Amino acid sequence: MICAQGFTPVTQFGFSFSLSSALKTQRQRFFSTPQLYCHSPVNFCFMISCITCNHRNSTFSVLKAGKFRDLRLFKSVELDQFITSDDEDEMGDGFFEAIEELERMTREPSDVLEEMNDRLSAREFQLVLVYFSQEGRDSWCALEVFEWLQKENRVDKETMELMVSIMCSWIKKLVEGDHNVGDVVDLLVDMDCVGLKPHFSMIEKVISLYWEMGEKEQAISFVKEVLGRKIAFMKDDREGHKGGPSGYLAWKMMVDGDYRGAVKLVLHLRESGLNPEVYSYLIAMTAVVKELNEFAKALRKLKSYTRDGIVAELDKDNVGLVEIYQTELLADGVRLSNWVLEEGSSSIHGVAHERLLAMYICAGRGLEAERQLWEMKLVGKEADSDLYDIVLAICASQKETRAMNRLLTRIEIISPLLKKKSLSWLLRGYIKGGHFSDAAETLVKMVDLGFLPEYLDRVAVLQGLRKRIREPGSVETYFKLCKCLSDANLIGPGLVYLHLQKHKLWVIKML
């Protein structure tokens, strides 16, 4: 099986061609595409070396003059080496007889080629392929010729690159010519039938062509056709692959910022029974993370506008809608992760839990996020220490004491620098949640351990306690914190004063 893993534009081979509008009934197959001219380059190439054909108005013509047939090549043709006008002497009668017999279609192409096998060179077989790829010729015959060459083990690298270029240019013209998506998929099936297994880069290019033309629905229809008809293709070995057609299309949507659309696409494909590749579930989970992140940013911006009095505060109904939307996104992410765990190999289970962790962090779900940290550890994927700290801060803001205690056990065995960082995240979590008494205790603990808390953190805690000074126990907590910070030379001496209005008396004491 030959893998069509990349292609050079057939226009670089120097031949004008297209698919014929109809084949004769003996073929029982047909293609149709507009003529492709060679005067403008087609940027439709991937990973193979370029093989060029320099020409001007190049064409094949088979003219009857008794038994002599004339093949005219204006200028020169380069197929790894130049074919000049002097080389035309090498094209013997066998070449022209083969063309004539194949065009008559009175016999099977394989029979004709078998008979002419010893009389045709590799170069002549290549020119037979190009001849039948031209406008008005029997395009299916080119596939049959290639199939026979494949069976006879006469397809070298050069011939394969030529055939791949022909096929890919056909695909490009079908896409750009507003043909049905089914016609494009039919051509991919035909490639597989003649032993030219399409490479995934071809699938990617078709999707990209539709996408760049603004035909997004066509791109979705193409992916559905490929999945529904189970088109086989060779996967890329290069980094950054998108796994398959559904994953690649979801990735294209995600790049355009349509995160929700990418998620809905993969869910729809799965629910339709088309079985998208497992990697597409991971891409869709990434889209969920990005959508949750953007949603959180929008909410923070809305809150800032509310504080500044630009917009009114959200009412109960709108708050409910916000929670519903976030919950639906998380539910979609959980469904996707379940499919990854059910269908994917154990090597990607850790990635699924990592995506879930990111979702719960973006949504501010501390307990769920903490669980994913331990799930990752169980499958052998250790989360970064920063993620532990972020989850710790979320749990602190929500006063999830048991989860916090579990997460704090790790700081006993980490370096002093990382310990200070974790305690700082814990402190900021308390501040965000408005738990200033706990924040004050954390500040005192940090000072006792010899860590210098950040200035803004110290100020935030002191201001928070001062605003709540009338609450039971707040005065003692405030005094204790002030004394601790003063002893560490982090603040100046504190003055405590009491005003007795009845006696017009101020009582002042320095801490």
Side-chain angles (χ1 to χ4, degrees), residues 342-386:
E342 290 171 7
E343 303 175 15
S345 64
S346 58
S347 61
I348 62 173
H349 287 182
V351 180
H353 290 300
E354 188 176 41
R355 297 287 196 280
L356 282 172
L357 171 61
M359 289 180 205
Y360 290 127
I361 287 176
C362 290
R365 304 290 183 91
L367 286 178
E368 292 89 340
E370 188 230 359
R371 177 174 180 175
Q372 295 309 314
L373 287 173
W374 308 129
E375 292 283 2
M376 289 175 63
K377 188 181 285 289
L378 286 175
V379 297
K381 187 175 181 65
E382 183 64 42
D384 188 78
S385 61
D386 289 340

Coordinates of all heavy atoms in Angstrom, one line a residue, residues 342-386:
E342 N -13.2 5.9 28.5 CA -13.8 4.6 28.0 C -13.1 4.1 26.8 O -12.9 2.9 26.7 CB -15.3 4.8 27.7 CG -16.2 5.1 28.9 CD -17.6 5.5 28.6 OE1 -17.9 5.5 27.4 OE2 -18.4 5.8 29.5
E343 N -12.8 5.0 25.9 CA -12.3 4.6 24.5 C -10.8 4.8 24.3 O -10.2 4.2 23.5 CB -13.1 5.4 23.4 CG -14.6 5.2 23.5 CD -15.3 6.1 22.5 OE1 -14.6 6.6 21.6 OE2 -16.5 6.3 22.6
G344 N -10.2 5.7 25.1 CA -8.8 6.0 24.9 C -7.9 5.1 25.7 O -8.3 4.4 26.6
S345 N -6.6 5.1 25.3 CA -5.7 4.3 26.0 C -5.3 4.9 27.3 O -5.6 6.1 27.6 CB -4.4 4.1 25.1 OG -3.8 5.4 24.9
S346 N -4.7 4.1 28.2 CA -4.4 4.6 29.5 C -3.4 5.7 29.5 O -3.3 6.5 30.4 CB -3.8 3.4 30.3 OG -2.7 2.9 29.7
S347 N -2.6 5.8 28.4 CA -1.6 6.9 28.3 C -2.2 8.3 28.2 O -1.5 9.3 28.5 CB -0.7 6.6 27.0 OG -1.5 6.7 25.8
I348 N -3.5 8.4 27.8 CA -4.1 9.7 27.8 C -5.1 10.0 28.9 O -5.7 11.0 28.9 CB -4.8 10.0 26.4 CG1 -5.9 9.0 26.1 CG2 -3.7 9.9 25.3 CD1 -6.7 9.3 24.9
H349 N -5.2 9.0 29.8 CA -6.2 9.3 30.9 C -5.7 10.5 31.8 O -6.5 11.2 32.2 CB -6.2 8.0 31.8 CG -7.0 6.9 31.1 ND1 -7.2 5.7 31.7 CD2 -7.6 6.8 29.9 CE1 -8.0 4.9 30.9 NE2 -8.2 5.6 29.8
G350 N -4.4 10.6 32.0 CA -3.9 11.7 32.7 C -4.2 13.0 32.1 O -4.5 14.0 32.7
V351 N -4.2 13.1 30.7 CA -4.5 14.3 30.0 C -6.0 14.7 30.2 O -6.3 15.8 30.4 CB -4.2 14.1 28.5 CG1 -4.6 15.4 27.7 CG2 -2.8 13.8 28.3
A352 N -6.9 13.7 30.2 CA -8.3 13.9 30.5 C -8.5 14.5 31.8 O -9.3 15.5 32.0 CB -9.1 12.6 30.3
H353 N -7.9 14.0 32.9 CA -8.0 14.5 34.2 C -7.4 15.9 34.3 O -7.9 16.8 35.0 CB -7.3 13.6 35.2 CG -8.1 12.3 35.4 ND1 -9.4 12.2 35.9 CD2 -7.7 11.0 35.2 CE1 -9.7 11.0 36.0 NE2 -8.7 10.2 35.6
E354 N -6.3 16.1 33.6 CA -5.7 17.5 33.5 C -6.7 18.5 32.9 O -6.8 19.6 33.5 CB -4.4 17.4 32.7 CG -3.6 18.7 32.8 CD -2.3 18.5 32.0 OE1 -2.3 17.9 30.9 OE2 -1.3 19.0 32.5
R355 N -7.4 18.1 31.9 CA -8.4 19.0 31.3 C -9.5 19.3 32.3 O -10.0 20.4 32.4 CB -8.9 18.4 30.0 CG -8.0 18.2 28.9 CD -7.5 19.5 28.2 NE -6.9 19.2 26.9 CZ -5.6 18.9 26.8 NH1 -4.8 18.7 27.8 NH2 -5.1 18.7 25.6
L356 N -10.0 18.2 33.0 CA -11.0 18.4 33.9 C -10.6 19.4 35.1 O -11.3 20.2 35.5 CB -11.4 17.1 34.5 CG -12.3 16.2 33.7 CD1 -12.5 14.8 34.3 CD2 -13.7 16.8 33.5
L357 N -9.3 19.2 35.5 CA -8.8 20.1 36.5 C -8.8 21.5 36.1 O -9.2 22.4 36.8 CB -7.3 19.7 36.8 CG -6.5 20.6 37.7 CD1 -7.2 20.7 39.1 CD2 -5.1 20.1 37.8
A358 N -8.4 21.8 34.8 CA -8.4 23.1 34.3 C -9.9 23.7 34.2 O -10.1 24.9 34.5 CB -7.8 23.2 32.9
M359 N -10.8 22.8 33.9 CA -12.2 23.3 33.8 C -12.7 23.7 35.2 O -13.3 24.8 35.4 CB -13.1 22.1 33.4 CG -13.0 21.8 31.9 SD -14.1 20.4 31.5 CE -13.3 19.7 30.1
Y360 N -12.4 22.9 36.2 CA -12.9 23.2 37.6 C -12.2 24.4 38.2 O -12.8 25.2 38.9 CB -12.8 22.0 38.5 CG -13.7 20.8 38.1 CD1 -13.3 19.6 37.9 CD2 -15.1 21.1 38.0 CE1 -14.1 18.5 37.6 CE2 -16.0 20.1 37.7 CZ -15.5 18.8 37.5 OH -16.4 17.8 37.2
I361 N -11.0 24.6 37.8 CA -10.3 25.8 38.3 C -10.9 27.0 37.6 O -11.2 28.0 38.4 CB -8.8 25.7 37.9 CG1 -8.1 24.7 38.8 CG2 -8.1 27.1 38.0 CD1 -6.6 24.5 38.4
C362 N -11.2 27.0 36.3 CA -11.8 28.2 35.7 C -13.2 28.4 36.2 O -13.6 29.6 36.3 CB -11.9 27.9 34.2 SG -10.3 27.9 33.3
A363 N -13.9 27.4 36.6 CA -15.2 27.5 37.2 C -15.2 27.8 38.7 O -16.3 28.1 39.3 CB -16.1 26.3 36.9
G364 N -14.0 27.8 39.3 CA -13.9 28.0 40.8 C -14.5 26.9 41.6 O -15.1 27.2 42.7
R365 N -14.4 25.7 41.1 CA -15.0 24.6 41.9 C -13.8 23.9 42.6 O -13.1 23.0 42.1 CB -15.7 23.6 40.9 CG -16.8 24.2 40.1 CD -18.0 24.5 40.9 NE -19.1 25.1 40.1 CZ -20.1 24.3 39.6 NH1 -20.1 23.0 39.8 NH2 -21.0 24.9 38.9
G366 N -13.6 24.2 43.9 CA -12.5 23.8 44.6 C -12.5 22.3 44.9 O -11.5 21.6 44.7
L367 N -13.6 21.7 45.4 CA -13.6 20.3 45.8 C -13.4 19.4 44.5 O -12.6 18.4 44.6 CB -14.9 19.9 46.4 CG -15.1 20.4 47.9 CD1 -16.4 20.0 48.4 CD2 -14.0 19.8 48.8
E368 N -14.1 19.7 43.4 CA -13.9 19.0 42.2 C -12.5 19.1 41.6 O -11.9 18.1 41.2 CB -14.9 19.4 41.1 CG -16.4 19.1 41.5 CD -17.0 20.3 42.3 OE1 -16.3 21.1 42.9 OE2 -18.3 20.3 42.3
A369 N -11.9 20.3 41.7 CA -10.6 20.4 41.3 C -9.6 19.6 42.1 O -8.6 19.0 41.6 CB -10.2 21.9 41.3
E370 N -9.8 19.6 43.4 CA -8.9 18.8 44.3 C -8.9 17.4 44.0 O -7.9 16.7 43.9 CB -9.3 19.1 45.7 CG -8.3 18.5 46.7 CD -9.0 17.6 47.8 OE1 -10.2 17.5 47.8 OE2 -8.2 17.0 48.6
R371 N -10.1 16.9 43.6 CA -10.3 15.5 43.3 C -9.5 15.1 42.1 O -8.8 14.1 42.0 CB -11.7 15.1 43.1 CG -11.9 13.7 42.7 CD -13.4 13.3 42.6 NE -13.5 11.9 42.2 CZ -14.7 11.3 42.2 NH1 -15.8 11.9 42.5 NH2 -14.7 10.0 41.8
Q372 N -9.5 16.0 41.1 CA -8.7 15.7 39.8 C -7.2 15.7 40.1 O -6.5 15.0 39.4 CB -9.1 16.8 38.8 CG -10.6 16.7 38.3 CD -11.0 15.3 37.9 OE1 -10.3 14.6 37.2 NE2 -12.2 14.9 38.4
L373 N -6.8 16.5 41.0 CA -5.3 16.4 41.4 C -5.0 15.0 41.8 O -3.9 14.5 41.4 CB -5.0 17.4 42.5 CG -5.0 18.9 42.1 CD1 -4.8 19.8 43.4 CD2 -3.9 19.2 41.1
W374 N -5.8 14.4 42.7 CA -5.5 13.1 43.1 C -5.7 12.0 42.0 O -5.0 11.0 42.0 CB -6.3 12.7 44.4 CG -6.2 13.8 45.5 CD1 -7.3 14.4 46.1 CD2 -5.0 14.3 46.0 NE1 -6.8 15.3 47.0 CE2 -5.4 15.3 47.0 CE3 -3.7 14.1 45.8 CZ2 -4.5 16.0 47.8 CZ3 -2.7 14.8 46.6 CH2 -3.2 15.7 47.5
E375 N -6.7 12.3 41.2 CA -6.9 11.4 40.1 C -5.7 11.3 39.1 O -5.3 10.3 38.6 CB -8.2 11.8 39.3 CG -9.5 11.6 40.0 CD -10.0 10.2 40.0 OE1 -9.3 9.3 39.5 OE2 -11.1 9.9 40.6
M376 N -5.2 12.5 38.9 CA -4.0 12.6 38.1 C -2.8 11.8 38.7 O -2.1 11.1 38.0 CB -3.5 14.0 37.9 CG -4.5 14.8 36.9 SD -4.0 16.6 36.8 CE -2.4 16.5 36.1
K377 N -2.7 12.0 40.0 CA -1.6 11.2 40.7 C -1.8 9.7 40.6 O -0.8 9.0 40.4 CB -1.5 11.7 42.2 CG -0.4 11.2 42.9 CD -0.4 11.6 44.4 CE 0.0 13.1 44.5 NZ 1.4 13.3 44.2
L378 N -3.0 9.3 40.6 CA -3.3 7.8 40.6 C -3.0 7.2 39.2 O -2.6 6.1 39.2 CB -4.8 7.6 40.9 CG -5.2 7.8 42.3 CD1 -6.7 7.6 42.5 CD2 -4.5 6.7 43.2
V379 N -3.1 8.0 38.1 CA -2.8 7.5 36.8 C -1.3 7.8 36.4 O -0.9 7.6 35.3 CB -3.7 8.0 35.7 CG1 -5.2 7.6 36.0 CG2 -3.7 9.5 35.6
G380 N -0.6 8.3 37.4 CA 0.9 8.5 37.1 C 1.2 9.8 36.5 O 2.3 10.0 36.0
K381 N 0.3 10.8 36.5 CA 0.6 12.1 36.0 C 0.6 13.2 37.1 O -0.5 13.5 37.6 CB -0.4 12.5 34.9 CG -0.1 13.8 34.1 CD -1.0 14.0 33.0 CE -0.7 15.3 32.2 NZ 0.6 15.2 31.5
E382 N 1.8 13.6 37.4 CA 1.9 14.6 38.6 C 1.6 16.0 38.1 O 2.1 16.5 37.1 CB 3.3 14.5 39.2 CG 3.5 15.4 40.4 CD 2.6 15.0 41.5 OE1 2.5 13.8 41.8 OE2 2.0 15.8 42.2
A383 N 0.7 16.7 38.8 CA 0.3 18.1 38.4 C 1.5 19.0 38.9 O 2.2 18.7 39.8 CB -1.0 18.5 39.1
D384 N 1.6 20.1 38.2 CA 2.5 21.1 38.6 C 2.2 21.7 40.0 O 1.0 21.8 40.3 CB 2.5 22.2 37.5 CG 3.7 23.2 37.7 OD1 4.8 22.9 37.4 OD2 3.4 24.3 38.3
S385 N 3.2 22.1 40.7 CA 3.0 22.7 42.0 C 2.1 23.9 42.0 O 1.4 24.2 43.0 CB 4.3 23.0 42.7 OG 5.1 24.0 42.0
D386 N 2.2 24.7 40.9 CA 1.4 25.9 40.8 C -0.1 25.5 40.8 O -1.0 26.3 41.4 CB 1.7 26.6 39.5 CG 3.0 27.3 39.6 OD1 3.5 27.5 40.7 OD2 3.6 27.7 38.6

